[in-house]
Structure formats: structure tokens, C-alpha cells
Amino acid sequence: LLQAFKYGGRKILGRFFSGVLFDFVSSRLDAASFDALAAVPMDTRKENERGFNQARLLCRLLADRTAKPDLSAGLARRRPDSSSQSRLGRRARARNISGSFAAKKPFFFAGRNVLLVDDILTTGFTASECAKTLKIAGASSVTLLVVARGF
């Protein structure tokens, strides 16, 4: 299902996955543990090819369900992916993603406990770089929430 959502253009699955994420957040996280959400930014070229950013869609739907602000507009890719992360080995992924993100609007994140949303976690390098960027921008804490864990 995740592959159909991510690569097959089945945006409707975003409702299903955001429901799963909401159920998890409701049962496992204290509502006060985060006060805003942000999606992992996607390379613009890939977003144009797919027609949407799956992490941003999940984040928006989850923000609606939790009644917390979606601050995704404040986080951006600084440079396009030189290579797709999914096609790289562990070391190459770390080099490829290093320094890739920027807080366009750091004041969005100052003092916030941010729930960072993505579709899949494989090595964690992308999430780690985003979290580092959010912390530099002033976020008090960053918690990662993903639909699935890859290998």
C-alpha cells in the first residue's frame, strides 16, 4: 500500500495512512509532547514527477486531525537530491543528504516541540538531518513519526 501511495499516485491512501498515524499518536504519545508538525521536504523534481509530496500530505491530514499547526512551509530542501536515497548504500546516503535542509522560517520552530512526519524510515539519515535543522532553528524537541520502517 505504501508503494502504491508513494509511487503509484494513489493520494487517497493518505487518508488511510494518516488515520493509522493518528491512532498511534492518540494511543502512544502525550498530546502535550508536540505542539506543531512538519513534513520532511521532498526534492522539487521528484514532487513534480509524482504530483505530490507524500510526507507533506500525511502531515497536513494529521495536523487537521490533531488540530495542531502544520509548519512544513518553514522547512525546505536547500539543494536537490544528487541521487535518490533509495538507490544508495548506507555511507552514500549519509553523504548525499548532509546539509540538504534549511529552515526558511526559523521563527516557526523557535521553542516548539515538533512532530516530524515522513512516510518511511530506512537508515534515518534524512530524518536526522531534518531534526538537526529544526534544532538549529530553535525547536525545543523533535519527534519523528513514520508510516513504516524500511531495511
Side-chain angles (χ1 to χ4, degrees):
L1 284 175
L2 189 56
Q3 189 171 17
F5 174 56
K6 187 171 183 167
Y7 300 111
R10 301 235 167 75
K11 288 196 268 188
I12 192 71
L13 289 170
R15 291 197 184 280
F16 168 74
F17 288 125
S18 69
V20 171
L21 293 175
F22 179 73
D23 290 346
F24 179 84
V25 166
S26 298
S27 66
R28 302 288 177 114
L29 290 180
D30 177 8
S33 67
F34 68 97
D35 50 27
L37 297 90
V40 170
M42 180 183 230
D43 178 77
T44 306
R45 180 180 40 87
K46 284 184 192 173
E47 187 172 347
N48 290 337
E49 287 171 7
R50 292 183 190 161
F52 71 109
N53 175 338
Q54 66 279 354
R56 186 117 190 225
L57 176 59
L58 290 171
C59 188
R60 182 178 48 82
L61 293 169
L62 190 57
D64 288 347
R65 288 177 184 251
T66 61
K68 308 246 179 164
D70 177 359
L71 305 180
S72 298
L75 187 61
R77 282 212 181 245
R78 187 182 305 213
R79 59 182 171 75
D81 283 346
S82 55
S83 302
S84 175
Q85 288 288 89
S86 64
R87 296 190 175 121
L88 298 175
R90 185 170 179 80
R91 287 186 184 153
R93 284 179 188 226
R95 282 190 307 273
N96 188 56
I97 206 70
S98 181
S100 290
F101 302 102
K104 294 189 312 187
K105 300 178 181 183
F107 58 91
F108 273 22
F109 305 107
R112 299 276 196 154
N113 298 309
V114 179
L115 186 64
L116 182 62
V117 179
D118 204 357
D119 59 340
I120 190 163
L121 176 77
T122 306
T123 61
F125 291 125
T126 300
S128 180
E129 281 293 316
C130 282
K132 182 167 60 173
T133 300
L134 291 170
K135 293 291 284 181
I136 290 168
S140 295
S141 69
V142 179
T143 302
L144 178 65
L145 180 67
V146 297
V147 173
R149 173 83 166 99
F151 299 99

